[in-house]
Amino acid sequence: AQKVTQAQTEISVVEKEDVTLDCVYETRDTTYYLFWYKQPPSGELVFLIRRNSFDEQNEISGRYSWNFQKSTSSFNFTITASQVVDSAVYFCALKSTGGFKTIFGAGTRLFVKA
Amino acid sequence: DAGITQSPRYKITETGRQVTLMCHQTWSHSYMFWYRQDLGHGLRLIYYSAAADITDKGEVPDGYVVSRSKTENFPLTLESATRSQTSVYFCASSAWTGSSYEQYFGPGTRLTVT
C-alpha cells in the first residue's frame, strides 16, 4: 500500500529563518511521482513541484529547494529566508507512474511570524 | 476562461438533504477526481473517473454518488447529507503531457451540514 507521512503537524518560525518540511513515503512501485502543493489561507491548492522517482537531482527554485532521497524514501522541502507569505499548509503527495490515484499526506501547517 | 471550476463555492445544508456539487473542466482531460479535505487527513479520494461513463470508488466513497455523462462534467451528489460530510471538497482533473503527469485542482467547495 502507498502512504505519505508528514510528521510535522505545525511549524512556527520567525521571518527570515530557514525551515524544512519533512515528507516520508512508502510504495512498492519502482517508478512514481512525488509532489508538493501549497494551500494558502485562501484555500486553493497551488502546485509547487513534481519529481519523478528516477530523477534524484535536488531542485532549487528561488527560495524553495527540494531534497529527494530514494534511499530513505524522503522528499523534503526547504524554504530559505522564510516570509510571511509562505504561511500556508503544505502537502506532500505520491502517485505511481502507471496509476492515476494520488495519495496525500496530512499536511504541515507553516506559520511565519513577522 | 479555460480551467477547472466548482460550484457552489460555499453551501450550507441540513442533515438528510440531497446536495450536488458541480465540477467542470475545459481541457477535455480524461481523468477527473473528487477529494475531501479534513483536518489531520489531508486530501482523501472519494471517487474518480477515467472517462465519460466510467467511474470508480476511491478511499472514502460511502454516502456519495457520482456520474459522468460528459467528459467535462463530474458532479458529486450526497444523497442524504450527514454532519460527518461537512468538509471542503476539491475536484481535480489530470492528464499526461509527454512523459509527465499533471493534475489540476478546482478552487474547492466548502460544505457545511447542520
Side-chain angles (χ1 to χ4, degrees):
Chain A
Q2 295 184 320
K3 186 178 179 182
V4 176
T5 301
Q6 295 180 254
Q8 304 151 310
T9 306
E10 289 186 1
I11 300 175
S12 183
V13 299
V14 176
E15 208 170 20
K16 297 184 183 176
E17 283 186 26
D18 298 346
V19 58
T20 296
L21 309 183
D22 297 332
C23 174
V24 174
Y25 62 93
E26 296 174 28
T27 182
R28 292 180 182 173
D29 296 322
T30 54
T31 60
Y32 46 89
Y33 287 107
L34 294 162
F35 305 83
W36 276 96
Y37 288 89
K38 174 182 179 180
Q39 187 177 43
S42 53
E44 75 272 22
L45 282 160
V46 178
F47 167 81
L48 294 178
I49 190 172
R50 175 191 58 250
R51 171 62 68 209
N52 206 320
S53 56
F54 54 75
D55 180 3
E56 288 196 67
Q57 266 193 321
N58 290 331
E59 182 156 339
I60 297 175
S61 176
R63 296 184 296 107
Y64 294 170
S65 62
W66 290 269
N67 183 357
F68 175 35
Q69 293 198 337
K70 213 167 178 178
S71 60
T72 56
S73 297
S74 64
F75 186 43
N76 296 337
F77 173 31
T78 297
I79 301 174
T80 302
S82 60
Q83 299 176 1
V84 172
V85 293
D86 296 326
S87 296
V89 180
Y90 291 86
F91 291 99
C92 180
L94 164 71
K95 191 191 87 63
S96 63
T97 304
F100 44 82
K101 294 183 188 180
T102 303
I103 305 298
F104 286 81
T108 297
R109 184 177 294 275
L110 174 65
F111 294 99
V112 181
K113 295 178 282 188
Chain B
D1 287 340
I4 182 164
T5 57
Q6 294 182 234
S7 61
R9 294 293 313 279
Y10 303 91
K11 176 75 177 178
I12 299 174
T13 191
E14 295 176 343
T15 300
R17 297 240 186 210
Q18 183 180 81
V19 60
T20 296
L21 310 184
M22 303 302 293
C23 178
H24 176 79
Q25 53 110 350
T26 60
W27 293 301
S28 298
H29 288 166
S30 295
Y31 283 98
M32 294 188 75
F33 308 84
W34 274 106
Y35 294 90
R36 59 177 290 172
Q37 181 184 7
D38 304 290
L39 194 63
H41 291 281
L43 276 76
R44 292 181 292 176
L45 183 65
I46 304 171
Y47 268 95
Y48 62 93
S49 169
D53 297 322
I54 301 175
T55 63
D56 207 347
K57 296 178 181 179
E59 189 183 350
V60 288
D62 294 343
Y64 303 95
V65 174
V66 293
S67 63
R68 193 154 177 219
S69 57
K70 292 183 178 180
T71 300
E72 60 267 30
N73 297 323
F74 190 38
L76 175 74
T77 298
L78 288 66
E79 293 189 301
S80 178
T82 65
R83 288 198 180 91
S84 65
Q85 292 177 309
T86 292
S87 187
V88 179
Y89 291 85
F90 286 97
C91 178
S93 69
S94 70
W96 290 93
T97 56
S99 60
S100 187
Y101 177 82
E102 304 283 347
Q103 186 170 62
Y104 303 89
F105 286 87
T109 294
R110 184 175 293 276
L111 175 68
T112 301
V113 183
T114 63

